[in-house]
């Protein structure tokens, strides 16, 4: 309970920062949704009593008018609130998605190669909807509680036996519902690595960057067998889960049927004993239905809160991954010297060191060629220099300042590294060269293309430097 309440508080703060009107709309929606069925049941009960008791025509018309116009007003308000809440929910989800994307670009580079972080990232994406969903479900639980209070007063008028029957059966129903939600949540978290494996295999089979290798080197069965294996494992987990949930749903259905029989036996007995008039009989039946629905709503809402709080924890853990983009240190003046001082390095999780006691100084104006076989550490040297990886021991200095003290964005801007696995992005040619969307220096772009020997090739393209690359976004991409 404490963890869920803490999660609700965190979700409220996140939602409040994104949209301060959304919580008030949810509160109003909960009040309207809760009041609507009670209002309808009360009006119907009064109408039945008036008709059965031979009431005056003007009273009957008044009650009927209140029923029709009140319902019309409540339904219209409910529809408007639903539209407003849905719109703001989606807009808020976009805000959280952008924040996650920014974090993915700013987190330390080694984290991008970790399968654990990949699972954390996948769960964090699911959590984009969690803050709004937690708040929505919290107000739904609040609305259900209001309905229970209203219905309990009506049911108690006929004695505590009736309320006791409803409470016992609903408690058993909620217990089964809770067990199902626990099982589903566990299976969903266990399936994250499988979903990632399936998505990656499908990407390999259909992505243009892999098309040549897939056709030339891999037999068709290589990918199909892998995909089939992952999907079978996923289906086995889902089959086990659905079999368990099916048994729980059957028990819930049996409980509901037994509860309905017990309630109607008590109500019919009281009616024939003369302890209840026809109008109140109808109000009680409706109230029992609303009471049951409200308890189920609370049970379902609370189980969803438990689930979303778990994903909210993943979101917090993901956003808490280390990054070094908040430092003020940048390079003042020109880069005069890069110095490796007794550097030791091995990749995370590896036992073998790539470098031991590496000492190297590069002065301004020097040209250095590093030659070696594959795996000798040439690319690793550049990754350490540019701050993509931190040294295991020793330190690297630029102009005498340890590179760990530089803001990462400032550090990256000091270098123009060209790795062997450069990726072309599905944006314009000009954006790929300039690595930016706005403020592009067109002259520098054209100069760079000319120096790379691509000037004439680019001029022959239908849109020149505005030509889209790849066919991922636009069909006329190259």
């Amino acid at each position: 309970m404490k963890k869920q309440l803490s999660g609700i508080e965190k979700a409220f703060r996140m939602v409040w920062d994104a949209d301060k009107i959304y919580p008030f709309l949810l509160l109003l929606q909960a009040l309207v949704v809760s009041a609507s069925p009670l209002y309808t049941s009360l009006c119907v009960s009064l109408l039945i009593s008036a008709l059965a008791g031979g009431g005056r025509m003007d009273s009957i018309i008044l009650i009927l008018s209140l029923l029709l116009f009140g319902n019309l007003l409540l339904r219209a308000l409910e529809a408007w609130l639903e539209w407003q809440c849905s719109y703001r929910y989606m807009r808020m989800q976009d805000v959280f998605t952008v924040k996650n994307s920014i974090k993915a670009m700013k987190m330390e580079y080694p984290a991008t190669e970790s399968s654990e972080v990949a699972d954390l990232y996948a769960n964090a994406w699911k959590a984009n909807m969690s803050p709004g969903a937690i708040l929505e479900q919290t107000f739904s639980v609040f609305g259900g509680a209001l309905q229970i209070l209203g219905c309990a007063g009506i049911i108690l008028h006929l004695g505590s036996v009736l309320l006791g029957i409803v409470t016992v059966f609903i408690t058993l129903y909620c217990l089964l519902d809770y067990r199902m939600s626990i099982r589903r949540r566990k299976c969903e978290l266990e399936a994250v690595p499988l979903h990632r494996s399936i998505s990656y295999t499908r990407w390999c089979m259909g992505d243009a960057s892999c098309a040549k290798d897939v056709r030339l080197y891999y037999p068709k069965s290589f990918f199909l067998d892998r995909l089939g294996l992952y999907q079978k494992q996923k289906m086995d987990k889902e089959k086990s889960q659905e079999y368990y949930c099916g048994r729980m749903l059957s028990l819930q259905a049996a409980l509901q049927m037994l509860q309905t029989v017990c309630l109607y036996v008590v109500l019919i007995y009281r009616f024939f004993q003369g302890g209840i008039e026809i109008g109140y009989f109808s109000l009680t039946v409706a109230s029992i239905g609303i009471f049951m629905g409200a308890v189920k709503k609370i049970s379902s809402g609370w189980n969803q809160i438990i689930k979303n709080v778990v994903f909210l924890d993943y979101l917090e853990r993901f956003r808490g991954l280390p990054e070094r983009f908040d430092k003020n240190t940048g390079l003042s003046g020109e880069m005069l010297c890069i110095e490796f001082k007794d550097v030791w390095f091995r990749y995370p999780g590896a036992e073998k060191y790539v470098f031991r006691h590496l000492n190297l100084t590069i002065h301004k104006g020097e040209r250095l060629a590093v030659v070696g076989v594959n795996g000798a550490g040439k690319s690793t040297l550049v990754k350490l220099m540019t701050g993509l990886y931190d040294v295991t021991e020793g330190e690297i200095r630029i102009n005498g300042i340890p590179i760990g003290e530089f803001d990462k964005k400032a550090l990256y801007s000091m270098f123009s590294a060209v790795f062997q696995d450069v990726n072309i992005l599905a944006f314009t040619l000009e954006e790929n060269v300039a690595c930016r969307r706005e403020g592009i220096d067109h002259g520098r772009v054209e100069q760079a293309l000319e120096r790379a020997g691509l000037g004439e090739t680019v001029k022959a393209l239908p849109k020149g430097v505005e030509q889209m690359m790849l066919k991922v976004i636009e069909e006329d991409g190259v």
Side-chain angles (χ1 to χ4, degrees):
M1 175 72 77
K2 185 178 179 181
K3 183 178 181 181
Q4 280 71 50
L5 293 177
S6 174
I8 291 171
E9 181 187 355
K10 292 175 186 175
F12 183 85
R13 288 202 304 266
M14 293 174 72
V15 170
W16 185 260
D17 289 339
D19 187 342
K20 292 179 173 56
I21 295 183
Y22 184 64
F24 295 104
L25 290 174
L26 285 178
L27 175 60
L28 184 57
Q29 185 184 41
L31 294 173
V32 171
V33 171
S34 302
S36 183
L38 288 170
Y39 177 83
T40 301
S41 301
L42 182 60
C43 288
V44 170
S45 171
L46 293 173
L47 185 60
I48 291 173
S49 295
L51 291 170
R56 293 167 49 188
M57 184 56 68
D58 57 344
S59 298
I60 293 173
I61 292 173
L62 176 61
I63 296 171
L64 190 59
S65 299
L66 288 173
L67 174 63
L68 294 176
F69 288 108
N71 259 300
L72 180 65
L73 178 62
L74 287 170
R75 297 299 180 192
L77 184 56
E78 198 175 322
W80 181 79
L81 288 168
E82 178 68 27
W83 170 69
Q84 280 289 318
C85 289
S86 296
Y87 167 71
R88 290 178 179 275
Y89 180 85
M90 296 304 294
R91 191 174 67 176
M92 193 163 46
Q93 184 182 347
D94 289 341
V95 171
F96 295 141
T97 298
V98 170
K99 287 184 177 180
N100 275 5
S101 300
I102 292 172
K103 178 63 185 182
M105 292 189 293
K106 292 177 68 175
M107 65 184 179
E108 294 282 13
Y109 178 76
T112 64
E113 299 180 336
S114 166
S115 59
E116 182 181 348
V117 172
D119 289 343
L120 190 62
Y121 187 41
N123 284 318
W125 273 104
K126 291 181 181 179
N128 282 337
M129 299 180 285
S130 290
I134 288 173
L135 213 60
E136 181 181 332
Q137 288 143 8
T138 301
F139 282 109
S140 177
V141 168
F142 171 72
L146 292 180
Q147 285 184 328
I148 287 175
L149 289 174
C151 293
I154 296 171
I155 299 170
L156 273 173
H157 184 71
L158 296 177
S160 57
V161 175
L162 204 61
L163 184 61
I165 292 172
V166 174
T167 304
V168 168
F169 279 101
I170 286 296
T171 301
L172 293 173
Y173 181 96
C174 292
L175 180 61
L176 294 174
D177 201 43
Y178 175 74
R179 291 186 64 179
M180 275 196 298
S181 69
I182 292 292
R183 183 64 173 264
R184 282 173 174 158
R185 185 163 62 252
K186 181 182 176 183
C187 290
E188 189 172 353
L189 291 175
E190 288 177 350
V192 168
L194 276 176
H195 284 297
R196 182 160 49 85
S197 300
I198 291 170
S199 297
Y200 177 75
T201 307
R202 287 175 176 167
W203 175 82
C204 289
M205 295 169 72
D207 191 77
S209 63
C210 300
K212 173 170 56 64
D213 295 330
V214 166
R215 284 156 177 76
L216 291 178
Y217 305 122
Y218 295 96
K220 184 172 65 174
S221 60
F222 178 85
F223 291 102
L224 291 178
D225 289 347
R226 280 182 173 274
L227 186 61
L229 175 63
Y230 296 143
Q231 288 180 330
K232 183 180 182 301
Q233 291 173 349
K234 175 174 169 285
M235 289 175 65
D236 287 344
K237 285 183 177 293
E238 291 175 348
K239 184 179 179 181
S240 173
Q241 172 195 321
E242 292 308 317
Y243 175 72
Y244 178 84
C245 292
R247 286 185 298 162
M248 296 297 105
L249 289 170
S250 299
L251 287 173
Q252 285 183 327
L255 282 173
Q256 284 184 293
M257 184 176 67
L258 185 58
Q259 175 190 250
T260 303
V261 171
C262 293
L263 290 174
Y264 274 103
V265 167
V266 174
L267 282 173
I268 292 170
Y269 174 77
R270 291 294 303 272
F271 178 74
F272 282 109
Q273 289 292 316
I276 179 174
E277 62 175 4
I278 186 66
Y280 205 84
F281 179 90
S282 107
L283 179 60
T284 306
V285 171
S287 297
I288 290 171
I290 295 170
F291 186 97
M292 291 165 57
V295 174
K296 291 175 186 176
K297 183 200 294 186
I298 290 175
S299 174
S300 175
W302 188 251
N303 288 331
Q304 287 297 313
I305 288 173
I306 293 172
K307 172 184 173 181
N308 281 302
V309 164
V310 172
F311 283 115
L312 197 63
D313 288 341
Y314 282 112
L315 181 62
E316 282 197 312
R317 285 171 54 195
F318 173 70
R319 291 187 178 177
L321 290 173
E323 58 182 68
R324 292 210 302 264
F325 282 86
D326 55 352
K327 298 186 178 181
N328 297 321
T329 306
L331 185 66
S332 57
E334 296 181 338
M335 185 184 293
L336 302 176
C337 177
I338 302 173
E339 184 180 9
F340 286 69
K341 295 187 67 177
D342 195 27
V343 169
W344 292 58
F345 176 75
R346 64 181 177 187
Y347 284 98
E351 295 183 1
K352 182 181 178 182
Y353 279 91
V354 180
F355 298 125
R356 297 171 183 264
H357 298 296
L358 175 63
N359 291 281
L360 172 68
T361 302
I362 306 172
H363 297 282
K364 178 185 175 182
E366 288 185 345
R367 295 184 179 183
L368 178 68
V370 180
V371 182
V373 298
N374 287 341
K378 302 183 297 297
S379 297
T380 304
L381 187 72
V382 178
K383 289 176 181 177
L384 290 173
M385 190 186 304
T386 54
L388 292 176
Y389 282 98
D390 292 327
V391 298
T392 307
E393 295 179 36
E395 65 177 358
I396 302 173
R397 292 174 173 266
I398 296 178
N399 287 5
I401 301 172
I403 64 170
E405 295 182 11
F406 287 102
D407 174 81
K408 272 295 177 76
K409 188 175 181 180
L411 182 62
Y412 295 155
S413 67
M414 300 177 195
F415 300 93
S416 296
V418 181
F419 295 100
Q420 58 190 13
D421 52 347
V422 176
N423 291 311
I424 296 176
L425 305 179
F427 305 123
T428 66
L429 174 60
E430 187 175 51
E431 289 169 340
N432 270 274
V433 175
C435 297
R436 65 181 63 196
R437 181 171 168 269
E438 297 178 349
I440 296 176
D441 187 333
H442 304 289
R444 288 188 66 191
V445 170
E446 291 178 3
Q447 185 181 14
L449 291 168
E450 288 288 347
R451 292 179 66 182
L454 295 171
E456 296 300 321
T457 303
V458 172
K459 290 175 183 177
L461 295 173
K463 298 180 181 178
V465 292
E466 295 295 326
Q467 182 69 46
M468 286 292 292
M469 305 302 293
L470 309 179
K471 296 182 181 291
V472 177
I473 296 177
E474 292 188 9
E475 190 61 34
D476 64 346
V478 297

